[in-house]
Amino acid sequence: MAQFDKNSKYYFDGEMPLEVLNNYLDRAMTYSLCGEGDPAKIRYHLLNNGKRVIKNVGVKYVARATGPWIASGEEEADAFPVYEAAIKELHEFDPEIIFEACIFETCTNRVNNIPIEEDIQKLFGYKSETGYFNCDNMKLTARDGYFLNRWSEGNHVPDITLPETQMFFYHRARKFIDMGYEALHLGQANLIGWSDEGNKCWTKVIRLIQEYAKHHARRHYVIIDCHHPSQNFVGSDGIMLVDFNMFPLRVEVAPCERDHAVSEDNPQRCDIHPGLGDAVYLRGIKGISPSGWFSDKYPYMVEFDNWGSGKDHVTAVGRWGYDEIAWWANQPQWYRHAFLKYVIERVAAYKENGHVASPGFRPAQIQNSPEHNYWIDSKEHYEFGFDDEEFVKALWNKRDGIE
């Protein structure tokens, strides 16, 4: 068992104080240990150079570290041991790093080869006919089939009111906690809970996950977050179901701009501001956290989100035709740096426990490139790196008063 410094500003045990949570989210980066593309290439890079990036930059909260969009039994059998070994190695370097795993708003028939543990069936009072999860017993059928095939053919939104969906989220959470993850992202919880009146089923599942963490997590606690447009994800017991809300940046084209191609001297400028759609900024969210503290400025973190749109795909109005990470990745380096500095300072100026997850690794549509991912890595370490690594390191260190 790792020894933790009780005098560290990252120390916690059994609960997550607000100050400590803010300290972690100040050094958050999205850097997945799994990825899309050639499996051998991605696996090698992420589990080797990725560890170097996390060490060098001083990342304390690795957002979206694990959790492929589509879960499967093969993934749990083959990939999970590899991810667990990588996390263990990084914890030997720095035991305080928090890794976040994701359980997304998707289910396909690939879950049909994931066994349901007997003790989980007993805990939920449900007996599986096959002993395996079944997508047909998990998918959400509300609104005349709107949630069926929501993401692609055969890829549905799961329904948290169904017993097998509840067991699936608990099963995955337990797996990740046992592997050393101390944070869980639950995707678009509002979609999964569409039929969950008063969040009763979500409350049941999340409280069971939190109870498991008390006895099995590295520091007897698991941080939980999700995308939730209402920004007020409260349990049926009156306590927040998440420790913080994770949400997209919600950028839009700057008012002074006109449509033009990007160039080194003429980036496609964007802004963020409160009131843009369902953006999280200045919404006055308040509540009691799972750790017991109350805040009238409930913490959140915004990220450069991806959802597959790009110039070669669906036009994303307001971001020059891209999703957020693709827009940012396709800008000249000097503007990427200027914009990241701008959003970090802008969010901090709102003075509401808000944070920005710096991009590290994320799938993105890159124009005029064979690469379909954004990598923060220095080019000297990775030929397809965007060379933003040292900038983020210096930006964080200057803010935190580190020479």
Side-chain angles (χ1 to χ4, degrees):
M1 177 65 70
Q3 297 297 313
F4 299 100
D5 180 3
K6 292 185 177 181
N7 296 315
S8 169
K9 69 178 187 177
Y10 300 103
Y11 180 79
F12 68 95
D13 188 6
E15 60 182 25
M16 174 59 75
L18 176 57
E19 182 180 2
V20 176
L21 178 61
N22 281 329
N23 291 338
Y24 267 106
L25 298 186
D26 268 345
R27 283 186 168 261
M29 178 179 289
T30 53
Y31 205 111
S32 178
L33 298 178
C34 55
E36 301 174 6
D38 178 79
K41 170 189 170 185
I42 294 289
R43 181 77 58 84
Y44 176 82
H45 178 80
L46 291 173
L47 297 183
N48 289 276
N49 207 39
K51 290 185 288 189
R52 184 197 58 76
V53 169
I54 292 168
K55 292 177 181 179
N56 178 47
V57 179
V59 181
K60 284 291 188 178
Y61 190 99
V62 185
R64 294 180 178 256
T66 299
W69 177 243
I70 296 176
S72 69
E74 294 89 350
E75 170 219 7
E76 292 193 359
D78 299 334
F80 277 16
V82 180
Y83 304 149
E84 183 176 11
I87 289 172
K88 182 178 180 181
E89 180 179 323
L90 277 162
H91 277 153
E92 290 173 355
F93 162 74
D94 181 355
E96 293 180 326
I97 298 175
I98 289 176
F99 292 90
E100 177 189 88
C102 303
I103 314 172
F104 287 115
E105 64 278 9
T106 177
C107 67
T108 73
N109 61 12
R110 293 186 66 185
V111 305
N112 295 4
N113 60 1
I114 299 178
I116 311 175
E117 294 90 333
E118 288 288 343
D119 65 318
I120 292 181
Q121 295 182 52
K122 183 177 180 180
L123 178 64
F124 283 83
Y126 178 90
K127 183 63 177 177
S128 168
E129 294 181 1
T130 65
Y132 290 81
F133 289 103
N134 187 324
C135 183
D136 289 337
N137 296 334
M138 295 171 58
K139 58 191 181 184
L140 181 57
T141 58
R143 284 185 57 184
D144 298 325
Y146 172 81
F147 297 97
L148 300 176
N149 305 307
R150 182 72 180 90
W151 313 115
S152 61
E153 185 66 30
N155 191 346
H156 318 288
V157 175
D159 182 351
I160 199 63
T161 69
L162 298 176
E164 286 201 26
T165 302
Q166 296 174 24
M167 292 192 297
F168 178 76
F169 274 79
Y170 182 79
H171 157 87
R172 294 283 279 188
R174 195 168 78 168
K175 285 271 188 183
F176 288 129
I177 290 169
D178 289 346
M179 291 163 62
Y181 292 86
E182 296 176 283
L184 300 170
H185 173 72
L186 301 181
Q188 296 187 57
N190 60 311
L191 296 187
I192 305 163
W194 188 266
S195 302
D196 186 16
E197 184 177 353
N199 294 323
K200 293 178 182 178
C201 296
W202 264 131
T203 302
K204 172 186 176 182
V205 173
I206 289 176
R207 298 299 180 236
L208 284 172
I209 291 170
Q210 292 166 332
E211 183 64 26
Y212 185 82
K214 286 181 182 179
H215 304 283
H216 300 279
R218 297 176 70 244
R219 285 174 278 187
H220 313 106
Y221 194 79
V222 63
I223 300 167
I224 294 177
D225 69 271
C226 70
H227 284 337
H228 203 278
S230 76
Q231 319 302 339
N232 198 23
F233 193 27
V234 180
S236 57
D237 54 8
I239 307 298
M240 286 287 203
L241 291 170
V242 292
D243 297 85
F244 70 93
N245 191 53
M246 172 73 87
F247 216 64
L249 274 172
R250 294 299 189 239
V251 301
E252 69 171 358
V253 175
C256 61
E257 288 285 339
R258 297 293 182 269
D259 189 28
H260 64 82
V262 65
S263 68
E264 179 64 27
D265 298 324
N266 193 14
Q268 298 166 320
R269 291 175 174 83
C270 279
D271 289 333
I272 63 167
H273 61 79
L276 177 59
D278 57 358
V280 66
Y281 316 113
L282 299 182
R283 282 183 172 263
I285 305 305
K286 58 186 176 180
I288 302 172
S289 80
S291 288
W293 46 261
F294 170 83
S295 177
D296 59 358
K297 299 182 188 311
Y298 208 75
Y300 64 82
M301 183 160 65
V302 289
E303 60 178 343
F304 291 75
D305 205 1
N306 70 282
W307 49 86
S309 60
K311 289 294 187 181
D312 298 329
H313 295 274
V314 178
T315 298
V317 177
R319 293 169 301 277
W320 301 91
Y322 297 103
D323 60 17
E324 292 173 352
I325 187 62
W327 161 73
W328 188 73
N330 279 285
Q331 303 309 304
Q333 184 190 57
W334 69 267
Y335 183 71
R336 288 199 306 275
H337 294 178
F339 185 82
L340 181 60
K341 182 174 184 291
Y342 153 76
V343 295
I344 289 176
E345 293 177 350
R346 182 78 178 267
V347 170
Y350 294 144
K351 298 186 182 302
E352 53 180 0
N353 298 311
H355 306 268
V356 179
S358 296
F361 161 76
R362 196 110 189 202
Q365 297 294 326
I366 310 300
Q367 297 303 302
N368 304 315
S369 171
E371 184 61 37
H372 295 290
N373 298 293
Y374 167 79
W375 306 92
I376 192 175
D377 308 51
S378 300
K379 286 188 179 295
E380 66 177 290
H381 295 288
Y382 184 54
E383 61 177 319
F384 292 114
F386 280 64
D387 223 12
D388 296 330
E389 179 181 340
E390 293 302 322
F391 171 77
V392 173
K393 178 180 180 179
L395 182 66
W396 285 1
N397 285 351
K398 183 178 180 180
R399 178 199 59 200
D400 296 345
I402 299 173
E403 297 295 333

